[in-house]
Amino acid sequence: MPDETSAEQVPIVGYLQLGDDPHLRANECTACGARYFDRRNACAKCGGTGFSDARVADAAVLKAYSIVHNAAPGIPVPYVSAIVETEDGTSVRSNVVGLDDPMTAELGMRVEFTTYVCGTDDDGTECVAFGYAPA
Amino acid sequence: MSGDSVWVLGANMTRFARYPELDALDLASQACLDAFADGGVGIHDMDILAAGTLFQPNGFGQRLQKQIGQTGIPVYNVTNACATGATAIRVAYLSIKAGEAEMGLAVGVEQMGKMGLLAGKSRSERKVYEASGRYDAVTSIDGILGTETMPGVFAQAGTGYAYENDGVGFEQFAKVAYKNHLHSTLNPLAQYQKEFSLEQIMGSPVQSYPNTTLMCCPTGDGAAAVVLISGERLRSMPEEAQRRAVKISASVLTSDPWVESGQVQPDVNTLTRNAAAQAYETAGVGPEDLDLVELHDCFATAELVHYDNLGLCERGGAGDFIDSGAPFRDGRIPVNVSGGLISKGHPIGATGVANVYEITTHLRGEAGDRQIEGAKVGLAHVIGLGSACGIHILEKAA
Ligand SMILES: [Zn+2]
């Protein structure tokens, strides 16, 4: 959870909800239940155009990962890129955070949603990102 | 699909390498002129030109025509990620199937130099967070919310397979690269022709675990071209041309259907499975009939999952398949005897045409030291993220 500081904070992406209870939100198709993190025109699964706003579960399982050693300038390496599946069945891409040794990442490991400050802009605004830490 | 049969009459590829002294027009022209010579035809015999490239500016096909012959035929400029070359072939194929063309030229080319495919987009200079795009992102998310790098995305495709199936780990992925580097030593057209030990491959610098440097395709330059001809027109060609012609028994293009995880991780599996099912059905052959396969090993992790997607192994059995030696050139179904993208190279637009060139050359019995003896049926597969999958099944003339 982000520190309670005076700095203004913005989420790194719109589907990250900050505040006292940070979590992810998704656009959920009212016809078929498919979930999306981006702005939608229609549902890629069923073509429906109705969406509701849904909360995504915090607990997840690591389904796929890669330990990235070669990245664009400015990105600290190595980091563990991951595809997790939340306990309500939503796939999310992020990093596994909080591992002392990236090689200890293990397929099937249980992880939990968390947030942290990943940068500050020239106005002093903090950017809050999310990741998944071993549960 | 009804319509006349379609055949490969002429085929050629440049060696994949780095050609700083040439441009993409030089490379494409060379492949086209040599494909004409191989088929015993010329630009005036062509009814259509399909030119595939990912990085050349718009109108490349018309500029190519101005080098090899401006005859006024329809020109299609094709871009479809790493399936660009296969899509160009399919454009010419469809034109012949539709009865509009008797002969067509499909070419794929790329000049990449030493541009890196390894790193994602660098972060912008902007220092004020402002939401933009369809995700309202305030900064580049690459490296923060997972990876956008190609070695990483394909590593995740591999580890995702390892999560679902037993017997797949770092060593199985490394064996894929060992095999393809070994195969490339017999292919004079390959960008690299060097054998590496399993230990060297596993010990080379990690790009995105489990993909090490020697498990990733290089960037490079090159071109490949094929001349396609209708079955009816082929019968009027010299006997030698008919004997060397190779039949396209299936030409398939798919995109990725919706899957739950598709919005966060490109799905390279479902569209390949769908394309393979359609191709086998259309050609009336099964994986057990294949004498060789050229598949899209942009990374070692990718090749392994495609053993399963193409039905070369039992479902879930890709680890056992590589461990058993089946995809080695002396194995049950030789895969990437050219050296594959990992060692032959991957000039993106050229790749899908070069795969068809490779299969064609074996079916003609003209592959020299790397010839798979008695090859009669082969499959060429490419996949581009986004996603697009192209499969061609080729058969030796009866
Ligand atoms: Zn829907």
Side-chain angles (χ1 to χ4, degrees), chain A residues 41-66:
Chain A
N41 299 92
C43 174
K45 183 181 184 188
C46 78
T49 53
F51 292 92
S52 61
D53 184 37
R55 179 180 176 135
V56 177
D58 293 342
V61 166
L62 181 61
K63 302 271 283 198
Y65 74 100
S66 177

Side-chain angles (χ1 to χ4, degrees), chain A residues 32-127:
Chain A
C32 76
R35 286 179 166 185
Y36 303 93
F37 291 126
D38 61 342
R39 177 159 53 83
R40 299 304 300 179
N41 299 92
C43 174
K45 183 181 184 188
C46 78
T49 53
F51 292 92
S52 61
D53 184 37
R55 179 180 176 135
V56 177
D58 293 342
V61 166
L62 181 61
K63 302 271 283 198
Y65 74 100
S66 177
I67 306 168
V68 181
H69 287 251
N70 188 357
I75 297 174
V77 290
Y79 67 89
V80 181
S81 169
I83 306 297
V84 305
E85 185 178 314
T86 62
E87 66 183 10
D88 55 358
T90 306
S91 294
V92 182
R93 194 187 79 190
S94 191
N95 289 357
V96 176
V97 297
L99 289 174
D100 292 333
D101 175 5
M103 287 301 283
T104 57
E106 209 174 331
L107 292 167
M109 74 190 279
R110 308 199 69 80
V111 291
E112 189 76 19
F113 176 87
T114 185
T115 59
Y116 63 98
V117 173
C118 69
T120 305
D121 73 7
D122 290 344
D123 296 340
T125 303
E126 293 178 339
C127 178

